[in-house]
Structure formats: C-alpha cells, structure tokens
C-alpha cells in the first residue's frame, strides 16, 4: 500500500517562502491586507500550464480561473462570479484567455461521439459536449484540412480560443464594463508546451466591434 503525504509539498513551500524572504524581507507584506491584481487569467486546468509560473508573476498579480479547456460558459455560476468579481471589485484592466497546444479537453471533444464519454450523464461529459458544440466551425476546418495531424490539432486548439474569446466578449460583465467606459482589454492567447512561449491570437477593447 502506497501512503502519500503532504510532506514533499510542505517542504518545498517552506523552502520557497524562505528564499523569498531572504531576497526581500517585505515580500509577503505587499498584498497582506488586500489584493490588486492587474489581470484576470482564464486558463485550462492542465497541470502543465500554471499561469503564475509561465508569466513570471508574483502573488497578487494575477486573479486566476481555470477549467477544462479554458471554457467561457455564461451558465456557469462559478465562472461568472469570478468574472464579475475581477472586473467590478478588483478592477482588473486586462483579461487573458489562454488555451494550450495538446489540450486534452479539445482532443476529447474531437473524439465524440465515439468517446467513452458519449451518452454519459456526468459534469465532465456535459462540459465536453458543450465544448464540441462551440467547436463546430473548427471541426469542419479540421476535417477538410490535409495538414499533418499535429498541425490540425493545434489549429483546433486555436479555434477553441477564438470561440471562447467570442463568448467572453459577449458576457454581460464585460459589456457592462465597456458601456460605462471602464478600462478593460481582452486578450486571447495559446501556450506552446514545447517552447514555453505564449502566442497572442486576438485582442479586443471597448471601442472595437465584437468579434
């Protein structure tokens, strides 16, 4: 029987905290009583895409929401509460929607209706089905393309970012912020697991037409 403990994580945590205090004794004081992040990050739950690590951000700089395949679902109370809180209570100036190449959620959506998830009534199955519906145009391009499989999958990941970005720009909190003149820019990016680089796909501000 394998027994798992938190000891390795706790040890790394203590080491990290010690290193931060040695470099800057006031490191943890800056956001001790409040947070003022400059950006909301909407990303995939994939463990290989940690927002703070890949952007070199410190505590207090990013307000983060992650879910399967970085989806924007207006009926998701969890997502919408994060979005509303970030815009109107934290006053973020930027929202970054980030997908990543090799996304398992996108690949699962591609495999429907032949996936074991097909016909299953579970939160994961419903989420993947919703993702496939959002990717209908991208799936058509995928089938028509004669490119290498990896390139086709990468394009489908990018198509998902663009589809979710359109959903984000249409949400009521975003539209409301733009109506009252609140500074808020949206960015759609994709993360390359192989290079560690972010690639910007799309950007929108209040004065621009909806995508």
């Amino acid at each position: 029987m394998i027994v798992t403990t938190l000891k390795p994580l706790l040890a790394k945590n203590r080491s990290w905290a010690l290193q931060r205090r040695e470099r800057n004794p006031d490191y943890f004081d800056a956001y001790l009583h409040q947070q003022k992040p400059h950006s909301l990050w909407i990303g995939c739950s994939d463990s290989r895409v940690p927002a703070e690590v890949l952007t070199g951000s410190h505590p207090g700089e990013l307000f983060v929401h992650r879910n399967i395949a970085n989806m924007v679902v207006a009926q998701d109370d969890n997502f919408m509460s994060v979005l509303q809180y970030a815009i109107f209570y934290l006053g973020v100036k930027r929202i970054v929607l980030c997908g990543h190449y090799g996304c398992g959620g996108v690949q699962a959506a591609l495999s429907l209706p032949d996936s074991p998830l097909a016909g299953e009534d579970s939160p994961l199955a419903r989420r993947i089905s919703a993702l496939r519906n959002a990717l209908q145009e991208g799936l058509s391009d995928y089938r028509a393309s004669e490119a290498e499989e990896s390139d086709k999958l990468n394009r489908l990941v990018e198509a998902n970012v663009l589809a979710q970005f359109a959903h984000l720009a249409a949400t009521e909190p975003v539209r409301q912020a733009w109506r009252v003149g609140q500074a808020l820019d949206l960015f759609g990016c994709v993360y390359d697991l192989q290079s560690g680089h972010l690639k910007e796909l799309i950007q929108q501000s209040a004065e621009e037409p909806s995508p």
Side-chain angles (χ1 to χ4, degrees):
M1 177 178 172
I2 299 176
V3 178
T4 60
T5 73
L6 273 181
K7 287 183 179 179
L9 291 180
L10 293 175
K12 289 182 178 180
N13 166 253
R14 299 300 187 272
S15 175
W16 169 77
L18 178 61
Q19 290 175 12
R20 292 299 178 184
R21 284 195 298 270
E22 287 177 342
R23 295 174 185 173
N24 178 6
D26 300 322
Y27 183 81
F28 294 105
D29 294 338
Y31 295 99
L32 187 60
H33 302 294
Q34 66 175 346
Q35 58 170 327
K36 292 296 292 181
H38 53 68
S39 302
L40 167 62
W41 176 281
I42 302 169
C44 181
S45 297
D46 194 299
S47 61
R48 300 167 296 177
V49 195
E52 291 88 351
V53 174
L54 65 90
T55 59
S57 298
H58 294 288
E61 294 185 335
L62 296 179
F63 196 59
V64 178
H65 174 83
R66 296 169 67 181
N67 62 53
I68 298 296
N70 44 273
M71 293 182 66
V72 175
V73 180
Q75 294 75 34
D76 183 342
D77 285 347
N78 183 25
F79 170 81
M80 292 301 291
S81 62
V82 167
L83 183 63
Q84 183 179 15
Y85 189 78
I87 294 174
F88 299 116
Y89 293 90
L90 298 178
V92 298
K93 300 286 193 284
R94 180 190 303 119
I95 301 178
V96 180
L97 178 84
C98 185
H100 67 95
Y101 298 132
C103 180
V106 170
Q107 293 180 27
L110 176 64
S111 68
L112 288 178
D114 300 320
S115 166
L117 287 172
E120 180 180 324
D121 184 20
S122 70
L124 177 58
R126 291 193 293 272
R127 183 57 65 105
I128 296 301
S129 294
L131 175 57
R132 183 177 175 88
N133 289 336
L135 280 173
Q136 286 306 315
E137 184 175 344
L139 288 170
S140 297
D141 294 340
Y142 175 91
R143 298 188 190 98
S145 175
E146 296 181 359
E148 293 291 332
E149 189 70 16
S150 59
D151 291 336
K152 292 166 64 175
L153 286 171
N154 285 348
R155 290 179 194 169
L156 196 58
V157 165
E158 293 179 358
N160 181 48
V161 171
L162 296 178
Q164 303 306 328
F165 185 93
H167 294 168
L168 176 63
T171 59
E172 182 54 29
V174 170
R175 306 309 299 181
Q176 183 180 345
W178 284 343
R179 282 196 300 268
V180 300
Q182 183 172 336
L184 183 66
D185 295 321
L186 310 184
F187 297 87
C189 299
V190 64
Y191 176 67
D192 188 335
L193 296 171
Q194 188 170 19
S195 69
H197 293 166
L198 285 170
K199 174 184 175 182
E200 183 179 336
L201 300 179
I202 189 171
Q203 184 268 345
Q204 186 177 345
S205 300
E207 66 273 9
E208 298 173 353
S210 299

